[in-house]
Amino acid sequence: MTHASPSPDDGALLPLDAVRERPAPVPARPAKGVPEQAAVLPVARVAVDTPLPHLDRPFDYLVPATVDADAVPGARVRVRFAGKLVDGFLLERLEASEHEGKLARLEKVVSPEPVLTPEIVALARAVADRYAGTLADVLRLAVPPRHAKVEAEAVPPPPDAEPPDGPEPAREAGPGPWADYPDGESFLAALAEGLSPRAVWTALPGTGEGGPQWATAVAVAVRETLRGGRGALVVLPDGKDVTLADAALSAALEPGAHVALTADLGPAERYRRWLRVLRGQARAVVGTRGAAFAPVRDLGLAVVWDDGDDLHAERLAPYPHTREILALRAYQSRAGLLIGGYARTAEATQLVATGWAGTIAAARETVRTRAPRVRPAGEDSELARDEAARAARLPSLAWRALRTGLTAGPVLVQVPRRGYLPALACQNCRAPARCGHCSGPLALRGGHAAPYCRWCGRIAGQWRCAACGGVRVRAQVIGARRTAEELGRAFPSVQVRTSGKDGVLATVGAARALVVATPGAEPVAEGGYAAAVLLDGWALLGRPDLRVAEETLRRWMNAAALLRPQAELVVLADSSVLAVQALLRWDPVTHAERELADRTELGFPPAVRMATLTGSPAAVREMLGEVVLPEGAQVLGPVPVDSPRGDQVRERAMLRVSRGAGSALAAALKGAVGVRSARKAPEVVRVCIDPLDVI
């Protein structure tokens, strides 16, 4: 009988004892103390929270099997990076890594909550590239710090669940304030149909029963967006505006359909509301600039109100602007965009000029009936009647407007400067009063206080003028508190209320009162103000700023819009100034178009893209020598700039390119910053793309 030849692997060729002693094969195990990796998608791509620009890229880590279920995309993780434990976000899970070396493992999944959505990751990456920043810096702005106790709270029922007492009554429908605009109802119809209209909106002045008309109009637009099955996001300059818009949204939407996000909520409550948006329990968000990254699901409309306010510009690197963030987000999400305000910025006008956005504005007949009656204090007829009106801070025209207005209700007085006497000068020679220690400007906190330095805080009780030796000072600039004190003496029977840095009023009643406010802090009066006076126009128009005319008109129109229709408004400025002319005609569009044309001719933003490099003279010059600029770039400077305390030598250089080369400029600057970071340059150069303070 023939037998097949045994295989070398058969035990038949080995002694019987050897066959019995041969161990069974076992799978390979990790080293002692090292956990096994996940069986499916074992590689995690992580955005590490590192401030180093040359490491602005994701890194791959192995996912241990023990945290496989919790390591979901968007979760917070902790990894070992450069020998230290650092935080990060898990971006995605992969089958394999392109890295050829050995991968480290995730140390910990801090929370399985997917707080970073793919939409926000893409937006943060776009914002970082737009402003020559890093993803880590943008993510710090986009995702609030974790609050473990809030995450562990029970999840409330979804907003569409009926309450125990039955369904809520249906909210009132209709165009609301949008009926006053020829294109308003078509804009609402596009939102309700799930389309993505983009518009620059010049709002009409005036207030209604529920507050300012702009807040009611925004609430109606959000309502129609939610009716179309998509979410909405509204970003406002400050908490006062958020309060007004929140009240309007509460009246227009179902309970629980929206949340308000502001910095003064506290970390726990802010994170609680932010989680409601993330989990889809709230479909609309209203808040300040930090809310621009709120994880609204299926975004259908993004609204930015008063985009010219400098509060929309982030103070932290990479210094993005809310308008640009929402424009990028609307483009990526195919959502609608509404840029609104009483005035109009050159940047918004640029979007209209390029055809990227349309316009929504009321007819001139409607504007004339709603706008106040504006009178400049320097009219020839007034000068003939009151020769002192040219030099007086409150000429007779302003006094008459205050007296007449107080017979019908509250009156608004806008003062450009806060404080009591924020700037002093020598009584004899008018030279600015300076501190003998640091040369900072001297100011007064009250009528019986001693002068103090606004830089170092020292009391200048023994001050003596360096020019003439005088010891007496006079007011160079009068602040809001001193103005309120003077008006209180002039109108002893009238209540005087102030709104500014020390305390901002959101609303005031309809009773007669004098309301003294700084720009941006004007409260909304019930039924509107009976009259208003805009003081010290020279203080706004005389600032060395590229946007001085645009910013002055914006502040004036924001205050004037709070008046009743045809109420008297007195502005203390020369009537020949273009900004005053635009206020007289209530025509911010023509002023913005002229401003854009002038900047285009001179080569200033937004007609071009510009970046500033600020730092020590050696660091700025070193970076200018290393950066590879795009073709056609212009280098302006560097020139000395004032430091905040005046004790450091700093310079600034400006780089100017065409709008089409903006991305190339940002990439070049980011590369240069990364090179300096890699070689551990001792001095940091601040890079800012399209800054507000160009000059």
Side-chain angles (χ1 to χ4, degrees):
M1 188 176 193
T2 304
H3 297 277
S5 300
S7 168
D9 292 334
D10 285 343
L13 296 180
L14 298 176
L16 183 60
D17 293 341
V19 174
R20 292 174 178 173
E21 294 175 2
R22 182 181 180 183
V26 295
R29 293 183 178 179
K32 186 177 181 180
V34 179
E36 296 182 2
Q37 67 184 37
V40 180
L41 300 177
V43 177
R45 185 151 290 170
V46 177
V48 180
D49 187 6
T50 173
L52 302 177
H54 66 285
L55 299 177
D56 183 27
R57 55 186 175 87
F59 293 87
D60 292 346
Y61 289 84
L62 288 178
V63 180
T66 54
V67 297
D68 185 17
D70 293 339
V72 297
R76 304 177 197 260
V77 297
R78 186 160 294 170
V79 297
R80 192 163 294 279
F81 190 82
K84 298 180 180 179
L85 283 177
V86 297
D87 295 325
F89 293 98
L90 198 157
L91 301 180
E92 57 180 333
R93 296 278 296 269
L94 305 171
E95 285 286 355
S97 173
E98 298 177 357
H99 181 66
E100 297 180 355
K102 184 179 180 181
L103 296 181
R105 298 174 182 265
L106 294 180
E107 294 290 335
K108 181 182 180 182
V109 176
V110 178
S111 169
E113 188 81 40
V115 294
L116 188 59
T117 64
E119 179 197 0
I120 301 303
V121 173
L123 176 63
R125 182 73 272 170
V127 171
D129 294 341
R130 165 71 169 77
Y131 286 95
T134 65
L135 180 65
D137 284 340
V138 180
L139 290 181
R140 292 190 196 103
L141 304 175
V143 183
R146 178 176 181 253
H147 200 283
K149 185 177 179 180
V150 172
E151 274 189 5
E153 293 176 353
V155 179
D160 55 352
E162 292 188 0
D165 297 334
E168 289 284 334
R171 290 295 192 268
E172 180 182 357
W178 293 104
D180 296 328
Y181 305 88
D183 299 322
E185 296 190 40
S186 61
F187 178 76
L188 295 180
L191 294 175
E193 294 172 7
L195 302 179
S196 305
R198 298 190 294 259
V200 176
W201 168 40
T202 305
L204 284 169
T207 59
E209 296 181 359
Q213 291 289 332
W214 69 262
T216 305
V218 167
V220 172
V222 171
R223 183 196 67 198
E224 295 303 309
T225 304
L226 269 59
R227 183 173 296 177
R230 306 182 71 181
L233 172 62
V234 181
V235 183
L236 307 170
D238 53 34
K240 175 177 66 70
D241 292 331
V242 172
T243 301
L244 298 172
D246 184 35
L249 288 170
S250 298
L253 305 180
E254 299 293 334
H258 82 284
V259 296
L261 297 177
T262 56
D264 57 357
L265 290 173
E269 181 59 25
R270 179 178 173 83
Y271 192 57
R272 182 179 294 108
R273 297 187 183 186
W274 189 87
L275 283 179
R276 288 192 59 207
V277 181
L278 176 69
R279 295 167 178 170
Q281 298 162 351
R283 301 169 58 200
V285 173
V286 58
T288 49
R289 63 173 182 262
F293 294 97
V296 179
R297 292 190 180 181
D298 193 14
L299 184 67
L301 175 65
V303 181
V304 54
W305 172 256
D306 198 11
D307 64 304
D309 197 315
D310 59 0
L311 293 176
H312 281 300
E314 180 59 55
R315 270 52 172 178
L316 302 176
Y319 318 107
H321 194 283
T322 298
R323 178 187 54 247
E324 305 303 319
I325 296 173
L326 294 185
L328 286 171
R329 187 168 184 181
Y331 175 77
Q332 291 184 345
S333 304
R334 297 185 179 182
L337 178 66
L338 181 63
I339 302 175
Y342 296 120
R344 182 188 283 189
T345 61
E347 286 77 9
T349 306
Q350 177 77 15
L351 296 178
V352 175
T354 58
W356 195 81
T359 59
I360 297 179
R364 290 302 303 172
E365 294 77 8
T366 306
V367 173
R368 292 190 185 99
T369 59
R370 298 280 293 275
R373 293 183 294 108
V374 183
R375 298 187 62 183
E379 292 179 336
D380 293 339
S381 59
E382 285 298 319
L383 292 177
R385 182 185 304 177
D386 182 9
E387 291 294 339
R390 189 182 301 274
R393 185 168 185 252
L394 271 173
S396 57
L397 176 63
W399 285 111
R400 290 199 304 271
L402 293 177
R403 292 193 188 96
T404 304
L406 286 173
T407 61
V411 172
L412 175 66
V413 180
Q414 186 194 72
V415 183
R417 304 291 180 86
R418 62 175 182 262
Y420 192 76
L421 296 180
L424 301 176
C426 176
Q427 178 72 29
N428 298 330
C429 67
R430 303 298 194 268
R434 295 285 180 177
C435 174
H437 177 75
C438 68
S439 299
L442 297 185
L444 277 178
R445 292 191 176 94
H448 302 286
Y452 77 101
C453 177
R454 290 168 52 193
W455 285 2
C456 66
R458 285 180 167 82
I459 301 298
Q462 303 296 325
W463 176 83
R464 183 176 294 273
C465 179
C468 68
V471 296
R472 300 184 64 185
V473 294
R474 68 185 303 271
Q476 193 175 28
V477 176
I478 298 178
R481 286 196 293 113
R482 175 60 181 265
T483 303
E485 183 180 291
E486 293 176 350
L487 291 176
R489 297 194 191 102
F491 299 94
S493 61
V494 179
Q495 181 186 20
V496 180
R497 306 189 66 180
T498 59
S499 180
K501 182 181 179 181
D502 297 334
V504 178
L505 302 176
T507 59
V508 293
R512 62 194 301 260
L514 278 167
V515 181
V516 181
T518 53
E522 302 92 349
V524 177
E526 182 181 347
Y529 289 100
V533 175
L534 308 178
L535 290 179
D536 302 338
W538 59 269
L540 294 175
L541 293 168
R543 295 177 298 125
D545 193 338
L546 172 68
R547 306 172 188 272
V548 59
E550 175 184 284
E551 176 66 8
T552 299
L553 180 61
R554 185 190 70 82
R555 294 185 177 189
W556 284 346
M557 296 191 79
N558 285 355
L562 302 176
L563 272 66
R564 302 169 185 172
Q566 299 300 309
E568 187 173 13
L569 171 69
V570 178
V571 54
L572 275 69
D574 190 348
S575 60
S576 63
V577 177
L578 294 179
V580 179
Q581 287 293 318
L583 181 65
L584 288 171
R585 300 190 306 271
W586 202 267
D587 186 13
V589 176
T590 301
H591 184 272
E593 292 173 346
R594 180 179 297 173
E595 185 79 9
L596 178 61
D598 292 343
R599 295 192 198 176
T600 302
E601 182 179 357
L602 298 174
F604 282 115
V608 299
R609 295 289 299 279
M610 187 170 285
T612 59
L613 310 180
T614 308
S616 68
V620 171
R621 285 174 167 78
E622 182 182 24
M623 186 167 174
L624 286 175
E626 295 174 345
V627 64
V628 181
L629 297 175
E631 185 178 356
Q634 291 180 297
V635 179
L636 309 177
V639 296
V641 294
D642 295 333
S643 64
R645 291 288 302 272
D647 54 355
Q648 297 176 346
V649 179
R650 301 167 73 229
E651 287 188 349
R652 182 175 66 175
M654 292 192 294
L655 309 178
R656 180 166 58 185
V657 298
S658 63
R659 287 188 60 84
S663 299
L665 175 63
L669 292 175
K670 184 174 180 178
V673 171
V675 170
R676 291 179 55 82
S677 172
R679 69 162 185 260
K680 299 181 180 179
E683 296 178 336
V684 176
V685 177
R686 174 181 170 178
V687 177
C688 190
I689 304 289
D690 291 342
L692 292 180
D693 53 343
V694 175
I695 58 174

